[in-house]
Amino acid sequence: MNETNPQPDLGELREAIASGDPVRAMPALTQLRFCDAEDAVPLLVLGTEQKPFLVRSLSCSGLGYKRTEQGWDVLTRLLGADEDPNVRAEAANALASYGVERSWPLLQTAFLADGAWLVRCSILSALAEQPEIKLMWLLELAQVAITDADGTVRVSGAEILGRIVRDGIDQPIGAEARALLQPLQQDVDHRVVAAALNGLQIS
């Protein structure tokens, strides 16, 4: 802790977060980055229990930085049960930060079960950013994504396939991804077509 970022008053932060008023709660949640996990996590959990989805979303994001078992349990519950896709998407992002090996089963299940485009795109993006992600896992999700009714999800799926083509260029999985990209050149959404063409240009 340095003089420019003094230790926040935890009592004041708790009161602001518990108010549920985004104007008060959001700055208080942001201040928790200056606290250690032991102090921050109970207040972040309190934030996930407030009514405004903005407060719950920011609290989920914080739990991805202040990682504890309590935070993991809360995020897992919110991923499957919160009514707002913004909150579920943030919970997915935060869970991915706990490590791909641990988070994969949860995120795979959520991806298949949750039809919200924001949640699906967040899961794809969060997993794709993990350097140790297995290409086969990405392929499994991309195969589902490119059949989604939402064009944004299909774009994400096509981009993932392009990455698999690139990273698996001398492997059978690269050829499989390339084959899946071919028909996307005729997609009704021009963004999907563009993503497919980008992926197919990799040689």
mmCIF file of all heavy atoms in Angstrom, residues 141-186:
data_model
loop_
_atom_site.group_PDB
_atom_site.id
_atom_site.type_symbol
_atom_site.label_atom_id
_atom_site.label_comp_id
_atom_site.label_asym_id
_atom_site.label_seq_id
_atom_site.Cartn_x
_atom_site.Cartn_y
_atom_site.Cartn_z
ATOM 1 N N LEU A 141 -16.374 -26.279 -29.011
ATOM 2 C CA LEU A 141 -17.255 -25.116 -28.843
ATOM 3 C C LEU A 141 -17.523 -24.424 -30.173
ATOM 4 O O LEU A 141 -18.642 -23.968 -30.426
ATOM 5 C CB LEU A 141 -16.637 -24.130 -27.854
ATOM 6 C CG LEU A 141 -16.436 -24.620 -26.422
ATOM 7 C CD1 LEU A 141 -15.994 -23.462 -25.529
ATOM 8 C CD2 LEU A 141 -17.685 -25.267 -25.854
ATOM 9 N N ALA A 142 -16.508 -24.337 -31.019
ATOM 10 C CA ALA A 142 -16.683 -23.663 -32.310
ATOM 11 C C ALA A 142 -17.712 -24.379 -33.180
ATOM 12 O O ALA A 142 -18.484 -23.737 -33.895
ATOM 13 C CB ALA A 142 -15.347 -23.568 -33.042
ATOM 14 N N GLN A 143 -17.731 -25.697 -33.110
ATOM 15 C CA GLN A 143 -18.708 -26.462 -33.893
ATOM 16 C C GLN A 143 -20.133 -26.106 -33.495
ATOM 17 O O GLN A 143 -21.031 -26.075 -34.339
ATOM 18 C CB GLN A 143 -18.463 -27.961 -33.705
ATOM 19 C CG GLN A 143 -17.241 -28.474 -34.450
ATOM 20 C CD GLN A 143 -16.949 -29.929 -34.140
ATOM 21 O OE1 GLN A 143 -16.824 -30.327 -32.982
ATOM 22 N NE2 GLN A 143 -16.846 -30.755 -35.170
ATOM 23 N N VAL A 144 -20.341 -25.848 -32.215
ATOM 24 C CA VAL A 144 -21.665 -25.428 -31.745
ATOM 25 C C VAL A 144 -21.923 -23.976 -32.140
ATOM 26 O O VAL A 144 -23.004 -23.618 -32.609
ATOM 27 C CB VAL A 144 -21.772 -25.595 -30.215
ATOM 28 C CG1 VAL A 144 -23.126 -25.093 -29.709
ATOM 29 C CG2 VAL A 144 -21.569 -27.054 -29.819
ATOM 30 N N ALA A 145 -20.897 -23.144 -31.966
ATOM 31 C CA ALA A 145 -21.059 -21.705 -32.211
ATOM 32 C C ALA A 145 -21.457 -21.403 -33.652
ATOM 33 O O ALA A 145 -22.295 -20.522 -33.899
ATOM 34 C CB ALA A 145 -19.772 -20.972 -31.860
ATOM 35 N N ILE A 146 -20.887 -22.121 -34.614
ATOM 36 C CA ILE A 146 -21.164 -21.792 -36.027
ATOM 37 C C ILE A 146 -22.562 -22.221 -36.464
ATOM 38 O O ILE A 146 -23.001 -21.887 -37.559
ATOM 39 C CB ILE A 146 -20.106 -22.391 -36.974
ATOM 40 C CG1 ILE A 146 -20.063 -23.923 -36.856
ATOM 41 C CG2 ILE A 146 -18.741 -21.766 -36.721
ATOM 42 C CD1 ILE A 146 -19.133 -24.594 -37.867
ATOM 43 N N THR A 147 -23.283 -22.941 -35.596
ATOM 44 C CA THR A 147 -24.673 -23.291 -35.906
ATOM 45 C C THR A 147 -25.659 -22.413 -35.125
ATOM 46 O O THR A 147 -26.866 -22.603 -35.231
ATOM 47 C CB THR A 147 -24.953 -24.766 -35.566
ATOM 48 O OG1 THR A 147 -24.845 -24.963 -34.147
ATOM 49 C CG2 THR A 147 -23.976 -25.675 -36.274
ATOM 50 N N ASP A 148 -25.147 -21.474 -34.359
ATOM 51 C CA ASP A 148 -25.999 -20.607 -33.538
ATOM 52 C C ASP A 148 -26.844 -19.705 -34.436
ATOM 53 O O ASP A 148 -26.401 -19.290 -35.508
ATOM 54 C CB ASP A 148 -25.130 -19.761 -32.604
ATOM 55 C CG ASP A 148 -25.926 -19.153 -31.457
ATOM 56 O OD1 ASP A 148 -26.696 -18.194 -31.712
ATOM 57 O OD2 ASP A 148 -25.782 -19.621 -30.315
ATOM 58 N N ALA A 149 -28.043 -19.382 -33.973
ATOM 59 C CA ALA A 149 -28.919 -18.492 -34.742
ATOM 60 C C ALA A 149 -28.396 -17.058 -34.752
ATOM 61 O O ALA A 149 -28.719 -16.281 -35.657
ATOM 62 C CB ALA A 149 -30.332 -18.526 -34.155
ATOM 63 N N ASP A 150 -27.597 -16.705 -33.759
ATOM 64 C CA ASP A 150 -27.090 -15.340 -33.655
ATOM 65 C C ASP A 150 -25.797 -15.186 -34.450
ATOM 66 O O ASP A 150 -24.837 -15.931 -34.260
ATOM 67 C CB ASP A 150 -26.842 -14.997 -32.179
ATOM 68 C CG ASP A 150 -26.519 -13.519 -31.999
ATOM 69 O OD1 ASP A 150 -25.363 -13.142 -32.268
ATOM 70 O OD2 ASP A 150 -27.426 -12.764 -31.604
ATOM 71 N N GLY A 151 -25.767 -14.187 -35.323
ATOM 72 C CA GLY A 151 -24.605 -13.981 -36.177
ATOM 73 C C GLY A 151 -23.337 -13.666 -35.413
ATOM 74 O O GLY A 151 -22.238 -14.065 -35.816
ATOM 75 N N THR A 152 -23.472 -12.954 -34.295
ATOM 76 C CA THR A 152 -22.296 -12.601 -33.508
ATOM 77 C C THR A 152 -21.609 -13.846 -32.962
ATOM 78 O O THR A 152 -20.375 -13.928 -32.922
ATOM 79 C CB THR A 152 -22.684 -11.650 -32.356
ATOM 80 O OG1 THR A 152 -23.383 -10.525 -32.893
ATOM 81 C CG2 THR A 152 -21.470 -11.169 -31.598
ATOM 82 N N VAL A 153 -22.406 -14.815 -32.539
ATOM 83 C CA VAL A 153 -21.843 -16.071 -32.031
ATOM 84 C C VAL A 153 -21.171 -16.838 -33.170
ATOM 85 O O VAL A 153 -20.092 -17.412 -33.003
ATOM 86 C CB VAL A 153 -22.924 -16.933 -31.357
ATOM 87 C CG1 VAL A 153 -22.329 -18.249 -30.849
ATOM 88 C CG2 VAL A 153 -23.577 -16.179 -30.203
ATOM 89 N N ARG A 154 -21.802 -16.822 -34.341
ATOM 90 C CA ARG A 154 -21.202 -17.514 -35.486
ATOM 91 C C ARG A 154 -19.871 -16.877 -35.885
ATOM 92 O O ARG A 154 -18.926 -17.569 -36.258
ATOM 93 C CB ARG A 154 -22.164 -17.546 -36.686
ATOM 94 C CG ARG A 154 -23.437 -18.348 -36.427
ATOM 95 C CD ARG A 154 -24.121 -18.798 -37.711
ATOM 96 N NE ARG A 154 -24.431 -17.725 -38.640
ATOM 97 C CZ ARG A 154 -25.466 -16.894 -38.547
ATOM 98 N NH1 ARG A 154 -26.303 -17.004 -37.518
ATOM 99 N NH2 ARG A 154 -25.680 -15.956 -39.458
ATOM 100 N N VAL A 155 -19.799 -15.543 -35.805
ATOM 101 C CA VAL A 155 -18.531 -14.856 -36.081
ATOM 102 C C VAL A 155 -17.456 -15.347 -35.110
ATOM 103 O O VAL A 155 -16.334 -15.676 -35.516
ATOM 104 C CB VAL A 155 -18.692 -13.324 -35.962
ATOM 105 C CG1 VAL A 155 -17.328 -12.636 -35.993
ATOM 106 C CG2 VAL A 155 -19.560 -12.787 -37.082
ATOM 107 N N SER A 156 -17.795 -15.398 -33.836
ATOM 108 C CA SER A 156 -16.833 -15.866 -32.835
ATOM 109 C C SER A 156 -16.392 -17.293 -33.133
ATOM 110 O O SER A 156 -15.198 -17.625 -33.029
ATOM 111 C CB SER A 156 -17.440 -15.795 -31.431
ATOM 112 O OG SER A 156 -17.648 -14.456 -31.037
ATOM 113 N N GLY A 157 -17.350 -18.132 -33.523
ATOM 114 C CA GLY A 157 -17.015 -19.509 -33.863
ATOM 115 C C GLY A 157 -16.083 -19.590 -35.055
ATOM 116 O O GLY A 157 -15.115 -20.365 -35.052
ATOM 117 N N ALA A 158 -16.356 -18.765 -36.066
ATOM 118 C CA ALA A 158 -15.496 -18.754 -37.257
ATOM 119 C C ALA A 158 -14.093 -18.260 -36.923
ATOM 120 O O ALA A 158 -13.094 -18.782 -37.433
ATOM 121 C CB ALA A 158 -16.127 -17.884 -38.346
ATOM 122 N N GLU A 159 -14.003 -17.270 -36.051
ATOM 123 C CA GLU A 159 -12.686 -16.757 -35.646
ATOM 124 C C GLU A 159 -11.895 -17.814 -34.882
ATOM 125 O O GLU A 159 -10.673 -17.947 -35.063
ATOM 126 C CB GLU A 159 -12.862 -15.493 -34.799
ATOM 127 C CG GLU A 159 -13.337 -14.302 -35.614
ATOM 128 C CD GLU A 159 -13.699 -13.090 -34.772
ATOM 129 O OE1 GLU A 159 -13.823 -13.246 -33.530
ATOM 130 O OE2 GLU A 159 -13.867 -12.003 -35.345
ATOM 131 N N ILE A 160 -12.610 -18.567 -34.041
ATOM 132 C CA ILE A 160 -11.941 -19.657 -33.312
ATOM 133 C C ILE A 160 -11.434 -20.715 -34.296
ATOM 134 O O ILE A 160 -10.312 -21.224 -34.166
ATOM 135 C CB ILE A 160 -12.907 -20.296 -32.296
ATOM 136 C CG1 ILE A 160 -13.277 -19.295 -31.185
ATOM 137 C CG2 ILE A 160 -12.299 -21.565 -31.695
ATOM 138 C CD1 ILE A 160 -12.160 -18.920 -30.267
ATOM 139 N N LEU A 161 -12.251 -21.044 -35.280
ATOM 140 C CA LEU A 161 -11.821 -22.023 -36.293
ATOM 141 C C LEU A 161 -10.576 -21.523 -37.029
ATOM 142 O O LEU A 161 -9.664 -22.298 -37.320
ATOM 143 C CB LEU A 161 -12.952 -22.300 -37.283
ATOM 144 C CG LEU A 161 -14.138 -23.105 -36.738
ATOM 145 C CD1 LEU A 161 -15.242 -23.180 -37.788
ATOM 146 C CD2 LEU A 161 -13.715 -24.508 -36.316
ATOM 147 N N GLY A 162 -10.539 -20.225 -37.326
ATOM 148 C CA GLY A 162 -9.362 -19.653 -37.974
ATOM 149 C C GLY A 162 -8.119 -19.801 -37.114
ATOM 150 O O GLY A 162 -7.031 -20.112 -37.617
ATOM 151 N N ARG A 163 -8.295 -19.627 -35.816
ATOM 152 C CA ARG A 163 -7.156 -19.822 -34.912
ATOM 153 C C ARG A 163 -6.699 -21.281 -34.925
ATOM 154 O O ARG A 163 -5.498 -21.566 -34.911
ATOM 155 C CB ARG A 163 -7.540 -19.412 -33.496
ATOM 156 C CG ARG A 163 -6.425 -19.766 -32.512
ATOM 157 C CD ARG A 163 -6.791 -19.541 -31.084
ATOM 158 N NE ARG A 163 -5.835 -20.230 -30.220
ATOM 159 C CZ ARG A 163 -5.799 -20.078 -28.916
ATOM 160 N NH1 ARG A 163 -6.633 -19.259 -28.323
ATOM 161 N NH2 ARG A 163 -4.923 -20.745 -28.192
ATOM 162 N N ILE A 164 -7.657 -22.198 -34.938
ATOM 163 C CA ILE A 164 -7.294 -23.623 -34.944
ATOM 164 C C ILE A 164 -6.563 -23.984 -36.236
ATOM 165 O O ILE A 164 -5.604 -24.760 -36.228
ATOM 166 C CB ILE A 164 -8.557 -24.499 -34.746
ATOM 167 C CG1 ILE A 164 -9.176 -24.227 -33.366
ATOM 168 C CG2 ILE A 164 -8.216 -25.982 -34.886
ATOM 169 C CD1 ILE A 164 -10.551 -24.831 -33.183
ATOM 170 N N VAL A 165 -7.030 -23.401 -37.344
ATOM 171 C CA VAL A 165 -6.330 -23.624 -38.622
ATOM 172 C C VAL A 165 -4.870 -23.171 -38.498
ATOM 173 O O VAL A 165 -3.937 -23.862 -38.929
ATOM 174 C CB VAL A 165 -7.043 -22.869 -39.772
ATOM 175 C CG1 VAL A 165 -6.181 -22.879 -41.032
ATOM 176 C CG2 VAL A 165 -8.402 -23.495 -40.058
ATOM 177 N N ARG A 166 -4.686 -21.990 -37.893
ATOM 178 C CA ARG A 166 -3.341 -21.428 -37.766
ATOM 179 C C ARG A 166 -2.473 -22.255 -36.804
ATOM 180 O O ARG A 166 -1.342 -22.629 -37.120
ATOM 181 C CB ARG A 166 -3.435 -19.986 -37.263
ATOM 182 C CG ARG A 166 -2.082 -19.277 -37.158
ATOM 183 C CD ARG A 166 -2.231 -17.883 -36.576
ATOM 184 N NE ARG A 166 -2.544 -17.932 -35.139
ATOM 185 C CZ ARG A 166 -3.675 -17.478 -34.609
ATOM 186 N NH1 ARG A 166 -4.596 -16.936 -35.373
ATOM 187 N NH2 ARG A 166 -3.885 -17.542 -33.312
ATOM 188 N N ASP A 167 -3.019 -22.525 -35.610
ATOM 189 C CA ASP A 167 -2.217 -23.209 -34.582
ATOM 190 C C ASP A 167 -2.052 -24.697 -34.858
ATOM 191 O O ASP A 167 -1.107 -25.311 -34.367
ATOM 192 C CB ASP A 167 -2.856 -23.016 -33.205
ATOM 193 C CG ASP A 167 -2.786 -21.570 -32.728
ATOM 194 O OD1 ASP A 167 -2.176 -20.743 -33.433
ATOM 195 O OD2 ASP A 167 -3.339 -21.271 -31.648
ATOM 196 N N GLY A 168 -2.988 -25.259 -35.634
ATOM 197 C CA GLY A 168 -2.910 -26.694 -35.923
ATOM 198 C C GLY A 168 -2.651 -26.955 -37.389
ATOM 199 O O GLY A 168 -3.149 -27.923 -37.967
ATOM 200 N N ILE A 169 -1.851 -26.079 -37.988
ATOM 201 C CA ILE A 169 -1.704 -26.073 -39.449
ATOM 202 C C ILE A 169 -1.164 -27.401 -39.998
ATOM 203 O O ILE A 169 -1.521 -27.814 -41.100
ATOM 204 C CB ILE A 169 -0.820 -24.883 -39.885
ATOM 205 C CG1 ILE A 169 -0.946 -24.640 -41.385
ATOM 206 C CG2 ILE A 169 0.637 -25.084 -39.471
ATOM 207 C CD1 ILE A 169 -0.545 -23.254 -41.815
ATOM 208 N N ASP A 170 -0.332 -28.093 -39.257
ATOM 209 C CA ASP A 170 0.232 -29.362 -39.730
ATOM 210 C C ASP A 170 -0.402 -30.562 -39.034
ATOM 211 O O ASP A 170 0.167 -31.659 -39.048
ATOM 212 C CB ASP A 170 1.753 -29.382 -39.507
ATOM 213 C CG ASP A 170 2.459 -28.318 -40.343
ATOM 214 O OD1 ASP A 170 2.031 -28.113 -41.499
ATOM 215 O OD2 ASP A 170 3.403 -27.697 -39.822
ATOM 216 N N GLN A 171 -1.580 -30.336 -38.438
ATOM 217 C CA GLN A 171 -2.241 -31.405 -37.692
ATOM 218 C C GLN A 171 -3.620 -31.682 -38.304
ATOM 219 O O GLN A 171 -4.204 -30.815 -38.959
ATOM 220 C CB GLN A 171 -2.409 -31.003 -36.225
ATOM 221 C CG GLN A 171 -1.109 -30.624 -35.516
ATOM 222 C CD GLN A 171 -1.382 -29.978 -34.169
ATOM 223 O OE1 GLN A 171 -2.272 -30.402 -33.437
ATOM 224 N NE2 GLN A 171 -0.631 -28.930 -33.844
ATOM 225 N N PRO A 172 -4.141 -32.876 -38.063
ATOM 226 C CA PRO A 172 -5.493 -33.194 -38.576
ATOM 227 C C PRO A 172 -6.550 -32.203 -38.089
ATOM 228 O O PRO A 172 -7.492 -31.882 -38.823
ATOM 229 C CB PRO A 172 -5.751 -34.597 -38.028
ATOM 230 C CG PRO A 172 -4.390 -35.191 -37.844
ATOM 231 C CD PRO A 172 -3.495 -34.058 -37.456
ATOM 232 N N ILE A 173 -6.399 -31.677 -36.859
ATOM 233 C CA ILE A 173 -7.416 -30.763 -36.334
ATOM 234 C C ILE A 173 -7.457 -29.468 -37.145
ATOM 235 O O ILE A 173 -8.510 -28.849 -37.307
ATOM 236 C CB ILE A 173 -7.170 -30.475 -34.834
ATOM 237 C CG1 ILE A 173 -8.422 -29.838 -34.214
ATOM 238 C CG2 ILE A 173 -5.936 -29.598 -34.610
ATOM 239 C CD1 ILE A 173 -8.385 -29.756 -32.716
ATOM 240 N N GLY A 174 -6.306 -29.064 -37.696
ATOM 241 C CA GLY A 174 -6.282 -27.880 -38.544
ATOM 242 C C GLY A 174 -7.080 -28.088 -39.817
ATOM 243 O O GLY A 174 -7.829 -27.211 -40.261
ATOM 244 N N ALA A 175 -6.925 -29.264 -40.394
ATOM 245 C CA ALA A 175 -7.686 -29.594 -41.607
ATOM 246 C C ALA A 175 -9.176 -29.684 -41.302
ATOM 247 O O ALA A 175 -10.024 -29.269 -42.113
ATOM 248 C CB ALA A 175 -7.174 -30.909 -42.184
ATOM 249 N N GLU A 176 -9.513 -30.202 -40.125
ATOM 250 C CA GLU A 176 -10.924 -30.310 -39.729
ATOM 251 C C GLU A 176 -11.544 -28.924 -39.584
ATOM 252 O O GLU A 176 -12.674 -28.679 -40.035
ATOM 253 C CB GLU A 176 -11.021 -31.081 -38.408
ATOM 254 C CG GLU A 176 -12.435 -31.468 -38.033
ATOM 255 C CD GLU A 176 -12.492 -32.362 -36.798
ATOM 256 O OE1 GLU A 176 -11.439 -32.848 -36.349
ATOM 257 O OE2 GLU A 176 -13.609 -32.561 -36.295
ATOM 258 N N ALA A 177 -10.803 -28.017 -38.965
ATOM 259 C CA ALA A 177 -11.300 -26.648 -38.800
ATOM 260 C C ALA A 177 -11.467 -25.967 -40.156
ATOM 261 O O ALA A 177 -12.449 -25.252 -40.405
ATOM 262 C CB ALA A 177 -10.339 -25.852 -37.915
ATOM 263 N N ARG A 178 -10.508 -26.189 -41.061
ATOM 264 C CA ARG A 178 -10.598 -25.611 -42.404
ATOM 265 C C ARG A 178 -11.852 -26.112 -43.130
ATOM 266 O O ARG A 178 -12.558 -25.332 -43.794
ATOM 267 C CB ARG A 178 -9.336 -25.959 -43.197
ATOM 268 C CG ARG A 178 -9.302 -25.406 -44.605
ATOM 269 C CD ARG A 178 -7.983 -25.730 -45.282
ATOM 270 N NE ARG A 178 -6.907 -24.894 -44.768
ATOM 271 C CZ ARG A 178 -6.633 -23.681 -45.217
ATOM 272 N NH1 ARG A 178 -7.361 -23.147 -46.198
ATOM 273 N NH2 ARG A 178 -5.647 -22.971 -44.710
ATOM 274 N N ALA A 179 -12.149 -27.388 -42.984
ATOM 275 C CA ALA A 179 -13.344 -27.953 -43.623
ATOM 276 C C ALA A 179 -14.620 -27.331 -43.063
ATOM 277 O O ALA A 179 -15.601 -27.129 -43.805
ATOM 278 C CB ALA A 179 -13.361 -29.469 -43.434
ATOM 279 N N LEU A 180 -14.624 -27.020 -41.783
ATOM 280 C CA LEU A 180 -15.799 -26.391 -41.173
ATOM 281 C C LEU A 180 -15.958 -24.939 -41.620
ATOM 282 O O LEU A 180 -17.073 -24.406 -41.663
ATOM 283 C CB LEU A 180 -15.694 -26.453 -39.646
ATOM 284 C CG LEU A 180 -15.873 -27.839 -39.015
ATOM 285 C CD1 LEU A 180 -15.442 -27.819 -37.549
ATOM 286 C CD2 LEU A 180 -17.329 -28.293 -39.126
ATOM 287 N N LEU A 181 -14.838 -24.301 -41.956
ATOM 288 C CA LEU A 181 -14.900 -22.906 -42.411
ATOM 289 C C LEU A 181 -15.444 -22.779 -43.834
ATOM 290 O O LEU A 181 -16.077 -21.773 -44.172
ATOM 291 C CB LEU A 181 -13.502 -22.271 -42.358
ATOM 292 C CG LEU A 181 -13.018 -21.782 -40.995
ATOM 293 C CD1 LEU A 181 -11.544 -21.397 -41.065
ATOM 294 C CD2 LEU A 181 -13.847 -20.596 -40.517
ATOM 295 N N GLN A 182 -15.211 -23.790 -44.659
ATOM 296 C CA GLN A 182 -15.582 -23.698 -46.087
ATOM 297 C C GLN A 182 -17.038 -23.271 -46.296
ATOM 298 O O GLN A 182 -17.300 -22.285 -47.007
ATOM 299 C CB GLN A 182 -15.305 -25.040 -46.781
ATOM 300 C CG GLN A 182 -13.842 -25.439 -46.840
ATOM 301 C CD GLN A 182 -13.062 -24.744 -47.945
ATOM 302 O OE1 GLN A 182 -13.605 -23.938 -48.684
ATOM 303 N NE2 GLN A 182 -11.776 -25.055 -48.033
ATOM 304 N N PRO A 183 -18.020 -23.973 -45.703
ATOM 305 C CA PRO A 183 -19.415 -23.584 -45.968
ATOM 306 C C PRO A 183 -19.803 -22.228 -45.392
ATOM 307 O O PRO A 183 -20.791 -21.628 -45.830
ATOM 308 C CB PRO A 183 -20.232 -24.712 -45.327
ATOM 309 C CG PRO A 183 -19.313 -25.370 -44.354
ATOM 310 C CD PRO A 183 -17.943 -25.202 -44.900
ATOM 311 N N LEU A 184 -19.035 -21.728 -44.435
ATOM 312 C CA LEU A 184 -19.363 -20.429 -43.841
ATOM 313 C C LEU A 184 -19.126 -19.275 -44.807
ATOM 314 O O LEU A 184 -19.564 -18.152 -44.560
ATOM 315 C CB LEU A 184 -18.548 -20.216 -42.561
ATOM 316 C CG LEU A 184 -18.829 -21.195 -41.409
ATOM 317 C CD1 LEU A 184 -17.943 -20.862 -40.217
ATOM 318 C CD2 LEU A 184 -20.292 -21.175 -41.011
ATOM 319 N N GLN A 185 -18.465 -19.553 -45.931
ATOM 320 C CA GLN A 185 -18.302 -18.524 -46.963
ATOM 321 C C GLN A 185 -19.642 -18.134 -47.586
ATOM 322 O O GLN A 185 -19.745 -17.093 -48.240
ATOM 323 C CB GLN A 185 -17.360 -19.022 -48.068
ATOM 324 C CG GLN A 185 -15.945 -19.275 -47.586
ATOM 325 C CD GLN A 185 -15.099 -19.900 -48.688
ATOM 326 O OE1 GLN A 185 -14.403 -19.207 -49.425
ATOM 327 N NE2 GLN A 185 -15.169 -21.205 -48.804
ATOM 328 N N GLN A 186 -20.658 -18.984 -47.385
ATOM 329 C CA GLN A 186 -22.000 -18.691 -47.903
ATOM 330 C C GLN A 186 -22.965 -18.265 -46.806
ATOM 331 O O GLN A 186 -24.180 -18.250 -47.010
ATOM 332 C CB GLN A 186 -22.573 -19.933 -48.609
ATOM 333 C CG GLN A 186 -22.111 -20.104 -50.045
ATOM 334 C CD GLN A 186 -20.687 -20.609 -50.133
ATOM 335 O OE1 GLN A 186 -20.333 -21.597 -49.499
ATOM 336 N NE2 GLN A 186 -19.863 -19.920 -50.920
#
